[in-house]
Amino acid sequence: MRKLIVASIGLLMQAALQPAAAADVAPAPYYSPYYRPAVVIFTWTGFYFGAHGGGGWASKDASATQFNVAGVPVIPAAVSIDANGWLAGGQIGANYQVGSWVFGVEVDASGANLTGNSTCTSSVLGVAFTSNCQSKVDGLGTVAGRLGFAVDRALVYGKGGLAWADDSYVLNSTTLSFNGNESRWGWMVGAGFEYSFTDNWSWKIEYNYLDFGTRAVGFTDTTGLFNFTTNIRERINLVKAGVNYRWGWAPVGVVY
């Protein structure tokens, strides 16, 4: 009987302790089949504006085109001038991202100081004369389409479109000084890399090649009495670094 009483007490104590032990164990989590956590997806879609700076080098090739000064024929020798220097300006544009591909358009303009000079030789009545020829690019601009491939916040892109340049020239000889100015349009291609370090701010670096072909440029002396025209071919290479601020209808995307 004593053993039966002890066994009964043990069973009662075990039954009393089981609910308390079960209460110490957290229930298994339950997830609704209709719930999915939100995921933030970065996108390049939007408008942007920014500033840039950099450097460039230009090549100016003048052909040997005979001209007359006061009825006297002047035969210049062909000459090439290499100009280099700095540039700074701004840009504005828009992007639209489809998958990993980014389509866009960009307009930029820069003030520039690409300067160079060379010795020019001309023949007047069989006598050779030397002059100092100077060239300067005062301003640059492009209107281009962009196509890029994005990996999250990194974007590699190419661009191509129209280019514009504002040029000035000075020719100094022992007797006369001539000046020339022109604005010309050409074409451009380029490539670059851009990285968005926040949802709205990004930095970039790019290379541009601008080709303006050959164009006749008029020169007039400081007295306004003498003038001549010569053909000049122009090509420019640019390296630019800049920063952009982007805004618009979708700076970031949210997928549920």
Side-chain angles (χ1 to χ4, degrees):
M1 179 64 68
R2 183 180 303 173
K3 292 181 178 180
L4 180 61
I5 293 173
V6 171
S8 300
I9 294 173
L11 290 173
L12 291 174
M13 291 181 63
Q14 182 178 2
L17 291 175
Q18 279 182 348
D24 293 336
V25 179
Y30 171 76
Y31 294 102
S32 168
Y34 302 102
Y35 170 77
R36 288 186 299 173
V39 178
V40 177
I41 303 298
F42 178 82
T43 176
W44 288 90
T45 297
F47 301 97
Y48 65 89
F49 69 93
H52 65 263
W57 58 100
S59 176
K60 307 287 190 76
D61 300 318
S63 61
T65 305
Q66 180 177 321
F67 59 92
N68 296 323
V69 176
V72 178
V74 179
I75 305 174
V79 63
S80 295
I81 302 176
D82 294 324
N84 58 77
W86 57 266
L87 62 100
Q91 64 273 351
I92 186 169
N95 291 319
Y96 186 75
Q97 184 168 351
V98 180
S100 295
W101 294 101
V102 179
F103 304 87
V105 62
E106 183 177 270
V107 179
D108 68 18
S110 309
N113 185 34
L114 310 185
T115 59
N117 61 81
S118 180
T119 300
C120 307
T121 303
S122 299
S123 176
V124 181
L125 299 177
V127 179
F129 294 89
T130 58
S131 306
N132 180 259
C133 294
Q134 301 173 12
S135 171
K136 180 181 179 183
V137 179
D138 299 298
L140 295 162
T142 66
V143 180
R146 299 205 317 175
L147 175 61
F149 187 84
V151 180
D152 193 29
R153 295 177 180 268
L155 174 66
V156 179
Y157 62 88
K159 61 190 301 188
L162 299 176
W164 161 85
D166 184 36
D167 302 319
S168 59
Y169 305 90
V170 176
L171 189 156
N172 290 315
S173 67
T174 56
T175 56
L176 293 173
S177 179
F178 291 86
N179 297 304
N181 294 278
E182 64 162 343
S183 293
R184 62 167 74 187
W185 285 88
W187 56 270
M188 65 81 60
V189 292
F193 173 80
E194 189 167 358
Y195 182 79
S196 186
F197 55 90
T198 74
D199 289 340
N200 300 102
W201 287 97
S202 62
W203 61 264
K204 69 171 186 175
I205 184 168
E206 69 176 47
Y207 164 78
N208 295 163
Y209 171 78
L210 288 61
D211 196 315
F212 297 96
T214 302
R215 177 173 172 172
V217 181
F219 288 79
T220 304
D221 79 306
T222 54
T223 67
L225 298 176
F226 309 108
N227 58 77
F228 70 93
T229 301
T230 188
N231 294 322
I232 298 177
R233 184 180 182 204
E234 180 175 12
R235 292 155 293 172
I236 300 177
N237 297 271
L238 304 175
V239 176
K240 300 183 288 187
V243 62
N244 287 323
Y245 178 80
R246 187 178 61 261
W247 83 99
W249 63 92
V252 292
V254 179
V255 177
Y256 293 96

